[in-house]
Amino acid sequence: DNLPVRYHEDDALQKLGNYCPNKLQDPKWTDPHTKANVLLQCHFSRKKLTSDMEDDRRVVLEKAVPLVQAMVDVIASNRWLNPALAAMELSQMITQGLWDKDSILMQLPHFTSALAKKC
C-alpha cells in the first residue's frame, strides 16, 4: 500500500501490463497492488524501466524477498510440499530475475535469450 502511483503513471503501467506474460483481470492501474504485480513481471522479464519505476521495482523486491521467505517457512512447517516448492521457486525467480520457464543459462552474465537458445 505504500507504493506510490504517480500522476499519469497509470498510463505507463497499462503499457507495461499489456506486454506482461500473465495478464491481469480487470486491473486498476492506479492500485499499488497492480503496480507491484506489473513491476515483478517486468523484473522476471528483465524489461527496462524508467528511473522512477526502477526505484519502485527495487522497493517491491526488497519487500518481496523476506515475505516469500516467511511464506516458505510457514508452508514448510505445515508440511505442504507442493505449495512449499512453488514458494521456493518464486523465491528463486525473484533472486535471479527470471521466469521459471527461462533457460538456466540466462543466470550467467552476458547471456541473452538468443545466445541461450543456441546452446
Side-chain angles (χ1 to χ4, degrees):
D1 285 330
N2 294 337
L3 190 62
V5 178
R6 295 170 192 86
Y7 184 68
H8 285 301
E9 197 173 59
D10 54 329
D11 296 333
L13 282 173
Q14 187 172 4
K15 287 177 186 173
L16 287 171
N18 289 335
Y19 292 103
C20 288
N22 295 324
K23 301 299 179 203
L24 302 170
Q25 300 227 347
D26 300 322
K28 294 180 183 174
W29 299 110
T30 56
D31 184 0
H33 303 99
T34 300
K35 182 176 182 177
N37 186 315
V38 169
L39 290 176
L40 280 172
Q41 289 194 57
C42 288
H43 174 68
F44 301 147
S45 300
R46 296 187 173 183
K47 194 162 205 50
K48 298 288 182 195
L49 301 171
T50 63
S51 61
D52 284 342
M53 292 274 214
E54 183 64 30
D55 291 341
D56 291 340
R57 183 191 63 85
R58 282 192 199 101
V59 169
V60 168
L61 292 176
E62 287 171 4
K63 292 181 180 187
V65 170
L67 178 62
V68 172
Q69 288 172 347
M71 287 171 47
V72 169
D73 290 345
V74 170
I75 292 169
S77 69
N78 285 302
R79 299 182 183 185
W80 297 329
L81 179 60
N82 287 337
L85 292 174
M88 286 186 250
E89 194 168 279
L90 177 59
S91 177
Q92 188 172 7
M93 288 169 54
I94 291 169
T95 301
Q96 296 296 334
L98 292 170
W99 290 99
D100 58 342
K101 63 179 174 37
D102 288 334
S103 169
I104 59 172
L105 294 174
M106 294 288 293
Q107 297 175 23
L108 299 172
H110 311 296
F111 262 78
T112 62
S113 57
L115 183 58
K117 285 179 185 176
K118 289 181 182 179
C119 295

